[in-house]
Amino acid sequence: MDILDILRAALQQALGPQAIVFALAAIGLNIHFGYTGLLNFGQAGFVAVGAYGLAVSVVTFGAPFWLGVVMAMVAPLVLAVILGVPTLRLRADYLAIVTIAAAEVLRFVFGAVETKDIFGGSNGLNGYARPFQEANPYSSGIDLGIVAFGRNDLWSLTVGWILVGLCCLLVWALMRSPWGRVLRSIREDEDAVRSLGKNVFAYKMQALALGGVIGGLGGMFLALKQASVVPSDYSTLMTFYAFAALLLGGAARVMGPVIGAILFWFLIAGLGSFFSQSAGDGGWIPTVIMSDTQASLIRYIVLGLAIMLLMIFRPQGIFGDRREIAIDGR
């Protein structure tokens, strides 16, 4: 077993594009769930409309690249209004049901044969990322020994981590403003906030929209990195991975989603490499106990058990505060 290979694989994923996408998605969920108490189980839908907002604008309608970037932020905003208007005046579970349903409906619409002329069907869309690739200022990649990234990956990582940093700075500033304090109050006692004359519905809508737009930025980044959008990339699994990252790092903490996403992908990749090397003919785990095929799946079991134990013994996450995980279930 090569420990260096395991560490290299783990760090490659922990610092790579996947961690950036889920960090942005989790930052959006942090505004929804961590600060406002909104149960959004359809963050994948916001990520998807961000990605398709860019791709459809440029490829299908021939819009300039900059306008596609604008649409990648406008589309999640529109989705938040559509989902929020009928649900945010009701109990929290209605929003959860509507968002997870909407995310699945969008995924099927994007992949449907009937909408292939617009969204590209199951094959998706490509051919929109050239301006982003041509803006790459790097002449070569980087090799630090333990991790290495090619020229295109280095450019994507630079843009991606800058986006993450700017979003964290925005959340930090907003949550220390009067607006952010109202959101925390809504999470704790919505009726008390309403009795003080605050428009709770408007604040919830603003939080849903802001978190959705940040999730849409994650979708835009994923679309630029892959240079293609495919409906299968935006399943509900994306939402639950983002929630896992948020809970791992700690809800209602500015850096909690970012650290959680890094740790999540570090563990996923590290455990995958560890079990792949340990199982089979060349490993120390006999084939009768674990085959090569099972080795790639056992990492999810181990990580799932670890998160379960974390929720039992430290439900606020690694860096969270127990008082910051309340859910308004009324």
Side-chain angles (χ1 to χ4, degrees), residues 38-278:
L38 301 176
L39 279 175
N40 170 19
F41 284 161
Q43 187 71 340
F46 290 99
V47 176
V49 296
Y52 272 91
L54 169 64
V56 171
S57 299
V58 176
V59 177
T60 305
F61 296 106
F65 178 79
W66 66 266
L67 184 58
V69 172
V70 172
M71 289 305 300
M73 292 182 283
V74 171
L77 182 65
V78 173
L79 179 62
V81 173
I82 293 172
L83 299 182
V85 167
T87 60
L88 290 180
R89 297 184 190 276
L90 306 175
R91 294 201 318 262
D93 50 351
Y94 285 98
L95 178 65
I97 294 168
V98 168
T99 50
I100 193 172
E104 282 298 280
V105 168
L106 285 169
R107 185 168 66 88
F108 284 116
V109 168
F110 291 152
V113 176
E114 293 79 3
T115 59
K116 187 175 182 179
D117 292 341
I118 299 175
F119 301 114
S122 59
N123 293 326
L125 295 171
N126 54 49
Y128 55 83
R130 183 178 295 275
F132 175 75
Q133 295 168 346
E134 290 177 347
N136 187 347
Y138 299 113
S139 57
S140 62
I142 185 172
D143 188 350
L144 301 177
I146 191 66
V147 290
F149 296 103
R151 174 176 176 268
N152 292 333
D153 283 343
L154 185 59
W155 172 231
S156 297
L157 294 181
T158 302
V159 173
W161 286 116
I162 288 175
L163 274 178
V164 170
L166 290 175
C167 289
C168 286
L169 186 61
L170 176 65
V171 172
W172 177 83
L174 288 176
M175 295 310 157
R176 279 156 180 76
S177 69
W179 183 82
R181 288 192 287 272
V182 172
L183 290 191
R184 291 173 184 263
S185 302
I186 290 173
R187 182 195 64 205
E188 298 300 330
D189 194 333
E190 180 179 320
D191 291 333
V193 176
R194 190 177 286 110
S195 70
L196 295 174
K198 299 295 184 181
N199 189 337
V200 171
F201 172 77
Y203 278 96
K204 283 184 173 182
M205 179 63 75
Q206 292 164 18
L208 183 65
L210 178 59
V213 169
I214 292 177
L217 288 176
M220 182 187 72
F221 171 78
L222 180 61
L224 291 173
K225 168 63 182 69
Q226 295 185 157
S228 66
V229 290
V230 183
S232 58
D233 289 340
Y234 308 100
S235 67
T236 53
L237 194 63
M238 172 175 280
T239 298
F240 298 129
Y241 277 8
F243 258 114
L246 175 61
L247 295 176
L248 189 62
R253 286 290 182 266
V254 173
M255 294 301 297
V258 180
I259 297 173
I262 292 172
L263 287 175
F264 181 82
W265 285 104
F266 181 89
L267 292 172
I268 283 285
L271 289 171
S273 179
F274 171 78
F275 286 115
S276 295
Q277 292 187 32
S278 301

